[in-house]
Every structure is written in C-alpha cells, then in structure tokens.
Amino acid sequence: MTLIKSISGIRGTIGGPQGEGLTPVDIVKFTYAYCATLPERKTAPNAGRYKIVVGRDARISGQMVEQLVCGTLVACGVDVVKCGFASTPTTELAVKFADADGGIIITASHNPRQWNALKLLNDRGEFLTAAEGNAILELAESEKFDFAPVDELGRIEEHDFTDEHIDSVLALEAVDADAVRAAGFKVVLDAINSVGGIIMPRLLERLGVECITLNGEPDGDFAHNPEPLPKNLVGLSEAVVKEKAALGISVDPDVDRLAFICETGEPFVEEYTLVAVADYLLDFYGAGNTVSNLSSSRALRDVTEAHGGVYHAAAVGEVNVTTKMHEVDALIGGEGNGGVIYPASHCGRDAMVGVALFLSQLARKKMSVSEYKATLPQYFIAKNRMDLSDQGQIAAILEAVRKHYADEKVNTIDGVKVDFEEKKQWVHLRKSNTEPIIRIYSEASTEAEAQALADEVIGLAKTILK
C-alpha cells in the first residue's frame, strides 16, 4: 500500500489500512481540509456559499472516490457541480465555465490502475500554491472537523462540460480548423481505456479527422502501462503503419499528457510535443516567451530564440511552470512529458489543445510528421536514477556536483542543473519527493553523448558515497 501527501493533493493505492493507502477515511479528511481552507483562498463566495466542480477519469475506483468526495463537500455545506467522466483540462476549464470557487479532480494521471488521487484547484482552475497546499495538509492531519447542520448542507447538480471544452479549443485563434479539415487527416488514437476515448474522438470529428480508436472503452481496465512512453505504445505504432495513418495520438488516462507517433511508426518523442506546438505558435504570432521545467529538452529554447523570443526555465512541477508563465507573460509553456500549457485557453496541461495546434501546424506545413520532426533541433535525453539508502547523502552529492562544475552555467532552483553551453549539453540532478533517489537527466545531440554525460556525473556521485 502507498499513500503520498503533497502540496498538490493526495494520491495512493486503493485500500489497506488508514494512512497507508488511499482509504475512505483519508479521502474524507483531505476533502474536508480543502473545504475548510476555502475562506483563506476566496473570502467572498458566489451567491453566499461555495461551489466546487468535481470531475474524474475512468479508473475502476473512480465512482467510489467521487461519492466520498461529493458527500464530504455536501456535508461541509458546499455546493457541487459533478462533471462525471471528465478529463483533467475539462475539469480545470469547468471551474471557469461554472463560475465556481475551486475544483477537485479525481485521477492518478499516468499511474497504474490500482492508484487514484485528489488534485486540488483554485477558483481560476489552476493548481494550488505550495502555501495553500501545506495549509490543507496540516489541517487534514489535525483531524479537527466541524460539519454543516442539516439546513446548511450543500447541493449537487450534474453537468457534462465536454462540449464546452471542445468549443473552447475550436474557438482559439491559432487553431486552423479549416486547414485541418481540408488536409483530410487519418489518425489512430490510443485512449488507454479512460476519458480520452470520450472527448478526443469528438474533437477530431469536429476537425474533420478520421479517427481509428484503440482502447476506447472508458472502463479503467488499462490495456497497457498508461504512461504515454514509446515502450508502452508498440501497439499504437503498429496500428499507425497498418492503417497507413498520418500519425498516432496517445494520451494518458486524464488527457493532460500527449505523445505522437510518426506515420512510419517511429515515436515523435514526447519531449517534442511541446517543442512542436511552440514552434507553430511562435511562427503564428511572430515571437513570444516560453517556459518549461529544468528537465525538459533544450530544443524549446532553440526554437524560441530562433523566433526572437525568450526562453525561461522553471522548477519541476506544473504549478512551478504556470507560476513562471504568469511572471514572464509566456505565450506557451509546459513540460517535456508531453504537457502543453497554452494560456490563451487556460493555464493547465491540455492534450486537446495540443492536438488541435499540432494538426494546424501539419496542415499548414503540408509535411508528414517525420518530415516535420526533421526540421526541429535534434537532441536526445537519457533518464537515469541513483538509489540511495540514506536521504542525507543526496545533499552531499548535489553540492559536490555544483562545486565540480562551478565554471559552467549552474542552476540550483531545483536540485542542480549544469549547462555546457559550447557543447549544447546539460545534466540535471534532483531528489525525488517520495523516494530516497536522485533523478539524473542529461541531454546531448546523440543518445551516446547524453548517456556518457550521465555516466560521468554518476561516477562523480559515487566517489562521494565511498
């Protein structure tokens, strides 16, 4: 059993003893704490009482968790807008559509079927800040609960925001729906047995795209590991070639991450989802600022600067990226895991927006996916980790790496990142928030060079452990 509590919410495996898995008791505690801290985030609720949007992916445990969350909200005197099956970006947008005071998303994103989670939103449909998240963690652990009397109980209404989400995507200025329709694309979609199988085909249909769907039944019984990585998308790659499709589209269970497969069956690579969308928007608007986290590809920086824009790096984590995007008024931002954040729509990762913009680029370029990929800066990322028996060793390793590479460009806002500007290489070391490990990501122009850089740093780290 596993239960992980963080500033962005609570996630864990279903069942087990209280506090060791995601049990009904834990769900109620954290939902209550979210409600009780609402006045600290918004002092004047609409119509005199708070209203919270609740949406969920198609996980097997989703209905059970939804009932507990909605029941607790009602017991706290909070009105509920229940979205039912809804992607994470749909629920984020629903907060604005419903003029709500916040939202709770029931999803464990790319985690396996036994996991679920509560992700917490503010009244802008964005994830809570670190301070707001910590306040909820503290109150949940105090177990000092005080529920509403019978005459002040909340009410539940149901509303499906799927079409509003699709309408908002198609209304974006940069989405060239006419060009996409004229292109006559045929795609294969891997919806991984969740809400992507509901919303994504409907968007593609409205864009005039022929869609062949794999794993489209939203039953939560994932056909394969749900993280949209190349090793998990072999079936999609084979189907793209067999169907002679223009591309393959893969989303994770809550549809905030997006990866493509080229017409050849080769991965477009999830790191390049954001790069490609940024390339299109920077060309469409002429210039603009961009943001990604420190562990994302340098290709975004190259593309941004080629268009006369300014690239900015943020600490790992969606809330850190969106915070930086607000600071620098970014045109586009996101994460190298296939997360596209386009503020013209909303400040959250959204695979629907990513697909519409990517198809607009393809339609205008009149290129195949592999031909277009070849026009982008070419880099390779190696992803390694070091397992440590002592958390105290992590700080010593990070400090040793910082000192060793002091003559290079070093960033310490999230672990230690070293940029080797002349070689166009970088390595980023950061500790895991949940395990005694260091993640070591490195990037270079070839896969061998990226791994060699990682090996060099791992060798340095091992000397500290002796």
Side-chain angles (χ1 to χ4, degrees):
M1 298 293 107
T2 305
L3 182 66
I4 300 171
K5 305 167 187 177
S6 71
I7 59 172
S8 59
I10 178 174
R11 64 188 174 99
T13 51
I14 294 298
Q18 177 191 345
E20 294 182 21
L22 189 61
T23 69
V25 175
D26 297 295
I27 293 165
V28 170
K29 284 169 54 178
F30 279 85
T31 302
Y32 172 86
Y34 174 78
C35 290
T37 53
L38 273 168
E40 298 174 16
R41 297 189 295 276
K42 189 172 183 183
T43 55
N46 296 315
R49 53 193 292 155
Y50 292 106
K51 178 168 62 175
I52 299 299
V53 168
V54 178
R56 69 180 177 95
D57 69 15
R59 287 172 184 275
I60 295 168
S61 61
Q63 185 177 36
M64 179 270 288
V65 178
E66 177 188 62
Q67 290 172 341
L68 287 164
V69 167
C70 291
T72 304
L73 291 170
V74 168
C76 291
V78 172
D79 292 335
V80 178
V81 181
K82 187 165 70 171
C83 306
F85 282 158
S87 72
T88 283
T90 302
T91 308
E92 291 170 344
L93 283 164
V95 173
K96 296 194 290 185
F97 293 153
D99 196 19
D101 302 296
I104 298 177
I105 309 168
I106 301 168
T107 176
S109 193
H110 64 276
N111 288 106
R113 65 202 292 274
Q114 68 268 30
W115 287 76
N116 216 325
L118 308 184
K119 296 184 177 181
L120 311 176
L121 305 174
N122 62 22
D123 62 336
R124 299 186 302 278
E126 300 175 18
F127 290 116
L128 303 184
T129 66
E132 292 167 340
N134 280 325
I136 290 171
L137 289 174
E138 290 176 8
L139 182 56
E141 293 306 319
S142 74
E143 299 192 8
K144 296 179 180 179
F145 304 153
D146 183 11
F147 295 98
V150 66
D151 293 326
E152 297 176 17
L153 296 177
R155 296 179 293 271
I156 297 178
E157 63 175 290
E158 298 183 4
H159 189 94
D160 183 347
F161 290 93
T162 301
D163 287 332
E164 284 100 320
H165 186 179
I166 294 171
D167 289 343
S168 72
V169 172
L170 296 176
L172 292 169
E173 180 184 36
V175 172
D176 194 339
D178 291 338
V180 174
R181 294 186 186 104
F185 291 122
K186 177 182 180 181
V187 307
V188 181
L189 165 72
D190 186 346
I192 194 58
N193 305 103
S194 193
V195 292
I198 298 171
I199 190 169
M200 192 64 77
R202 284 160 70 171
L203 171 68
L204 293 169
E205 180 182 10
R206 298 221 8 217
L207 284 168
V209 175
E210 179 184 352
C211 177
I212 298 167
T213 303
L214 308 178
N215 309 316
E217 183 64 28
D219 57 14
D221 192 9
F222 305 145
H224 55 77
N225 185 309
E227 189 165 13
L229 300 175
K231 65 182 180 181
N232 301 325
L233 303 178
V234 174
L236 176 60
S237 294
E238 292 173 347
V240 168
V241 174
K242 178 183 177 181
E243 299 292 343
K244 297 181 180 179
L247 71 153
I249 298 171
S250 172
V251 295
D252 64 343
D254 67 328
V255 203
D256 65 349
R257 288 175 59 178
L258 172 66
F260 299 114
I261 299 294
C262 299
E263 80 287 352
T264 61
E266 293 297 313
F268 189 75
V269 183
E270 63 171 356
E271 284 286 341
Y272 278 82
T273 301
L274 173 59
V275 177
V277 171
D279 181 49
Y280 170 60
L281 289 172
L282 289 162
D283 188 54
F284 188 89
Y285 287 107
N289 296 334
T290 64
V291 176
S292 67
N293 67 43
L294 289 171
S295 286
S296 298
S297 177
R298 180 193 172 101
L300 179 61
R301 171 181 162 183
D302 289 359
V303 166
T304 303
E305 292 176 350
H307 285 85
V310 179
Y311 166 77
H312 301 267
V316 173
E318 183 174 341
V319 66
N320 296 318
V321 173
T322 56
T323 298
K324 177 61 72 173
M325 290 177 69
H326 286 307
E327 289 176 4
V328 302
D329 191 25
L331 171 66
I332 181 73
E335 299 178 297
N337 59 12
V340 173
I341 303 173
Y342 185 35
S345 172
H346 65 116
C347 277
R349 298 183 302 187
D350 192 333
M352 303 288 288
V353 169
V355 163
L357 294 173
F358 186 79
L359 291 176
S360 297
Q361 174 75 314
L362 281 187
R364 290 189 169 204
K365 289 284 188 181
K366 300 186 185 302
M367 293 179 174
S368 69
V369 177
S370 60
E371 288 172 338
Y372 173 57
K373 172 70 182 298
T375 69
L376 298 172
Q378 300 298 302
Y379 295 104
F380 295 85
I381 289 184
K383 297 183 178 182
N384 292 270
R385 58 184 276 174
M386 287 186 66
D387 294 81
L388 303 169
S389 58
D390 180 3
Q391 281 269 16
Q393 296 171 324
I394 295 177
I397 290 172
L398 294 179
E399 179 61 15
V401 171
R402 185 191 69 78
K403 289 182 177 179
H404 184 81
Y405 294 108
D407 292 337
E408 305 293 344
K409 182 179 178 182
V410 178
N411 187 316
T412 58
I413 64 171
D414 184 7
V416 176
K417 180 174 182 178
V418 184
D419 270 299
F420 304 89
E421 291 290 340
E422 292 186 5
K423 297 180 180 179
K424 290 192 172 183
Q425 299 178 358
W426 57 261
V427 62
H428 184 206
L429 294 81
R430 61 184 298 270
K431 66 177 181 179
S432 167
N433 293 324
T434 59
E435 302 173 86
I437 67 171
I438 292 180
R439 301 192 188 280
I440 303 171
Y441 289 8
S442 53
E443 185 177 61
S445 58
T446 69
E447 190 171 2
E449 289 175 330
Q451 187 58 50
L453 177 57
D455 291 341
E456 177 184 317
V457 173
I458 291 171
L460 172 63
K462 286 181 177 178
T463 64
I464 306 302
L465 302 179
K466 290 181 180 178

